Every structure is written in C-alpha cells, then in structure tokens.
Amino acid sequence: MSSRIDLVWPSEADDVLRDQVHQVLHAVVAAGGAVGYLRPPGGPETDKFLDGVLTAVRHGHAALALARVDGVVRAMGLWKREPEPIFQHSARVGKIMAHPSARGLGLGRLVVGALVENARAAGIETLTLGVRGNNHGAIELYEELGFREWGRLPNVIEVGDERFDDVRMLLTLGRAPTVVLRGSQTGGAGSSPRRARGRTSSGRPG
C-alpha cells in the first residue's frame, strides 16, 4: 500500500509538531546531512530554530513547508526574506532535508518545488541558496528545478578538519513590469564614477 504524502505550512507549533521536526533534524544531522549543524541538535536547539522561523512566518517574512508521510513530518524546507530592506524581494532557501527513513519518496523535490511557487506568490523576485560542494545530488535537484550556480566560496564550510566549497545558487521568479533592471550601469542611487588610472611623473599611465 502506498504512503499518503501531504504538505503543511504551519505558523504555530504544538508539542507533537515540535517533536516531529526535532526527529527530522536530529536524524538528518546524525546521518551526516549538510544542513548547518556540526552535531545532532537537542530539543531546545530545534525548538529555538522552529520558534524563530514561525515568528518570521507570522510576519510574512518566511514560509515553512513540512512534508508528512502518513501524518508524520518526514521532510522540511523554508524560505526566508533577506533582513535588509533593500533586499526585501529576495529570499534564501534553507534547511532542505528528509528523514533518512523517507529517502526515495521524492520529498525533497516536493518541498523545494512548493517553496518556489509559494515564494513566487508572495512576491519574491529572487531565491538564493547555499549547498555544500560535495552534495552533488542536492545540486542536481536544484538545477532540475531551475536554480543555477552563480559562484562559490572554496573550502569555507568546516566539518572538523575537513573543508568544503559553499556553492551559491539562484532562481529568478519574475518581477513586476514597472521594475527597471539597471544591473551595474552607471547612474542611479549610490552611483560613483570610475577612478582615474594612476599616472607616472611622465604623464603616462602607471
């Protein structure tokens, strides 16, 4: 018999939900998952994380997607707006994970795809994320969903004495027709002219 899979978007958490989110986070980190923890987190640590996300959800600054298998949370992910006002139309995707017991059910694709559409509906223009360089399966999934790599910080993620690349990816969701894309053009707020090249005493460029 096939499992029943559904998505929920909580803004509050009772004790059952807290325990299920903790189980996912703890199991994924214990299995070596690259989700931002050096060691499996305890209940108070996962509660603090969950409370912070849900506070942002209630203020319209984030969304948390939980995938349930037969009524039990087995995967999760979130998007959260960048905090600075000038980046209010950008959000970062994070904490994408599935419990080891639920691997192979397509929960990661389900969660990320839902987050993309939810962020688009919320008016987010650009989604970004970071992924550990050796997490090739996750990178392939993000690419299949339209994300592309825009850069990487080499060997900056520390796991004990090992160092891994931080691969940065983005997905553009669309913008209002009134938005003007200036990129790096000269002019506009905060613009400054290029500096003149230094010259030697002979007047030739240095």
Side-chain angles (χ1 to χ4, degrees):
M1 184 173 65
S2 61
S3 299
R4 178 172 58 87
I5 297 173
D6 67 319
L7 278 174
V8 293
W9 302 83
S11 59
E12 303 282 351
D14 58 17
D15 290 343
V16 173
L17 184 64
R18 290 178 184 278
D19 181 63
Q20 291 181 4
V21 168
H22 169 72
Q23 289 181 28
V24 173
L25 275 162
H26 190 278
V28 168
V29 177
V35 293
Y37 294 90
L38 291 175
R39 60 190 63 83
E45 193 172 358
T46 57
D47 281 350
K48 181 179 179 180
F49 154 74
L50 186 58
D51 287 338
V53 173
L54 294 179
T55 296
V57 169
R58 291 191 294 272
H59 286 87
H61 300 318
L64 175 65
L66 303 178
R68 300 188 300 189
V69 179
D70 295 329
V72 179
V73 175
R74 280 295 176 257
M76 60 182 289
L78 62 92
W79 65 256
K80 190 173 184 180
R81 292 183 193 271
E82 298 291 354
E84 294 84 358
I86 61 171
F87 296 117
Q88 64 177 321
H89 289 96
S90 297
R92 186 172 176 85
V93 173
K95 294 294 185 288
I96 306 298
M97 68 190 84
H99 194 284
S101 67
R103 300 269 169 83
L105 297 179
L107 300 183
R109 181 182 297 275
L110 174 67
V111 166
V112 178
L115 287 170
V116 168
E117 293 311 312
N118 183 276
R120 194 192 310 274
I124 300 297
E125 297 177 359
T126 305
L127 285 174
T128 64
L129 59 84
V131 56
R132 193 188 295 177
N134 66 337
N135 198 354
H136 301 293
I139 293 172
E140 290 177 0
L141 170 62
Y142 297 139
E143 289 175 339
E144 290 169 3
L145 291 172
F147 286 84
R148 63 178 178 85
E149 180 181 334
W150 63 265
R152 62 176 62 202
L153 296 173
N155 297 307
V156 297
I157 297 178
E158 303 178 16
V159 182
D161 289 332
E162 296 182 298
R163 303 290 183 268
F164 299 92
D165 290 352
D166 181 3
V167 180
R168 303 295 180 86
M169 306 184 77
L170 67 84
L171 175 63
T172 301
L173 301 180
R175 299 178 174 89
T178 55
V179 171
V180 179
L181 301 180
R182 293 193 176 275
S184 299
Q185 298 174 15
T186 301
S191 178
S192 63
R194 293 182 180 274
R195 293 188 177 187
R197 295 179 61 186
R199 293 178 175 274
T200 65
S201 58
S202 64
R204 297 175 180 175

